[in-house]
C-alpha cells in the first residue's frame, strides 16, 4: 500500500489542501493520514483497504464528536476564506524572505526551502540554530528547531504577508 502521511502537511499549509496533490501522481495514495491542522486525527483510504471488522484502527481522538464539529467548521472557514490559496501566496513571500536571508547571511543560514508556508532554513551550527530560535521567540516570532540545524516554519493558515514582513524584519535585527 502507498501511504501518505499528511499529519503536518495537510489542510492547506503547503498551498494545496493535501501536499500530495502537487506530486502529479499517476494514481492517488491508497491511504492518507491527517491530524494537527485538521483538529482531529484521521485517515481516508481506497475501499479495498477498508478494515473488514469494526474498531481495527484507533487513535487519540477517535470518535470525539466535539473535534469532528470543530473540524467541520474549520473546513468551512478554510473554503470560505480561500485559505489554501492565501497560504500559497503568503508562502511565496515567506520563501522569498528566507532566500533573501540566505543571500544576505550566507555564513549563518542556507538551504531555504518549502511549499506554501511549510518552510525551513538551515543554520551553520546547532549553536546558531538554538540562538536564532530563542531570540526570535523573545520578539514574538514562533519557530521551531528540526534536527540539528534547521529552523522550521509551520504557521497558522491565517498568516498574512504583513506577518511575514514583520518576521523577516525581526530576523534582520
Amino acid at each position: 500500500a502507498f501511504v501518505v502521511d499528511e499529519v503536518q502537511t495537510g489542510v492547506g499549509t503547503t498551498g494545496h489542501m493535501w501536499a500530495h496533490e502537487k506530486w502529479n501522481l499517476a494514481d492517488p495514495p491508497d491511504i492518507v493520514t491527517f491530524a494537527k491542522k485538521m483538529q482531529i486525527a484521521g485517515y481516508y483510504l481506497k475501499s479495498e483497504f477498508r478494515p473488514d471488522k469494526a474498531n481495527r484502527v484507533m487513535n487519540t481522538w477517535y470518535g470525539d464528536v466535539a473535534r469532528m464539529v470543530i473540524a467541520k467548521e474549520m473546513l468551512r472557514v478554510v473554503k470560505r476564506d480561500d485559505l489554501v490559496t492565501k497560504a500559497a501566496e503568503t508562502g511565496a513571500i515567506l520563501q522569498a524572505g528566507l532566500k533573501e536571508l540566505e543571500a544576505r547571511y550566507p555564513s549563518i543560514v542556507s538551504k531555504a526551502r518549502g511549499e506554501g508556508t511549510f518552510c525551513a532554513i538551515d543554520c551553520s551550527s546547532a549553536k546558531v540554530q538554538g540562538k536564532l530560535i530563542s531570540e526570535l521567540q523573545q520578539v514574538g516570532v514562533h519557530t521551531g528547531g528540526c534536527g540539528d540545524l534547521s529552523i522550521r516554519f509551520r504557521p497558522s493558515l491565517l498568516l498574512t504577508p504583513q506577518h511575514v514582513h514583520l518576521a523577516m524584519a525581526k530576523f534582520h535585527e
Side-chain angles (χ1 to χ4, degrees):
F2 176 39
V3 180
V4 174
D5 177 352
E6 294 267 17
V7 168
Q8 293 190 40
T9 56
V11 192
T13 192
T14 64
H16 299 275
M17 185 62 181
W18 305 106
H20 74 266
E21 291 174 345
K22 187 176 179 187
W23 301 348
N24 298 317
L25 299 172
D27 293 308
D30 297 315
I31 301 169
V32 176
T33 62
F34 57 85
K36 301 202 182 201
K37 284 204 181 344
M38 186 64 87
Q39 301 301 303
I40 192 164
Y43 60 92
Y44 60 92
L45 43 81
K46 290 181 177 176
S47 61
E48 61 262 32
F49 291 95
R50 184 170 295 142
D52 60 352
K53 295 182 177 128
N55 299 316
R56 294 296 182 221
V57 178
M58 299 292 289
N59 65 56
T60 305
W61 296 328
Y62 186 74
D64 185 337
V65 176
R67 293 241 179 228
M68 287 188 247
V69 170
I70 291 167
K72 182 179 178 182
E73 179 61 15
M74 188 220 44
L75 286 172
R76 188 186 71 75
V77 171
V78 166
K79 289 178 184 177
R80 180 196 71 200
D81 296 350
D82 200 18
L83 296 180
V84 175
T85 299
K86 288 178 181 174
E89 294 167 355
T90 303
I93 295 166
L94 175 58
Q95 291 170 45
L98 295 175
K99 293 277 186 193
E100 180 186 336
L101 290 172
E102 182 179 33
R104 192 168 183 182
Y105 308 108
S107 64
I108 299 173
V109 293
S110 63
K111 299 181 185 170
R113 59 200 178 274
E115 290 290 336
T117 58
F118 191 81
C119 299
I121 196 162
D122 284 355
C123 298
S124 57
S125 69
K127 184 177 178 181
V128 169
Q129 176 203 41
K131 183 177 182 196
L132 279 174
I133 290 169
S134 176
E135 289 179 4
L136 288 168
Q137 288 178 347
Q138 289 176 22
V139 294
V141 179
H142 182 70
T143 62
C146 186
D148 293 333
L149 300 177
S150 296
I151 295 177
R152 184 174 65 161
F153 301 81
R154 199 173 59 86
S156 161
L157 289 175
L158 301 178
L159 185 76
T160 67
Q162 180 183 359
H163 296 131
V164 172
H165 295 305
L166 289 169
M168 291 301 109
K170 297 297 182 184
F171 251 106
H172 290 292
E173 290 175 8

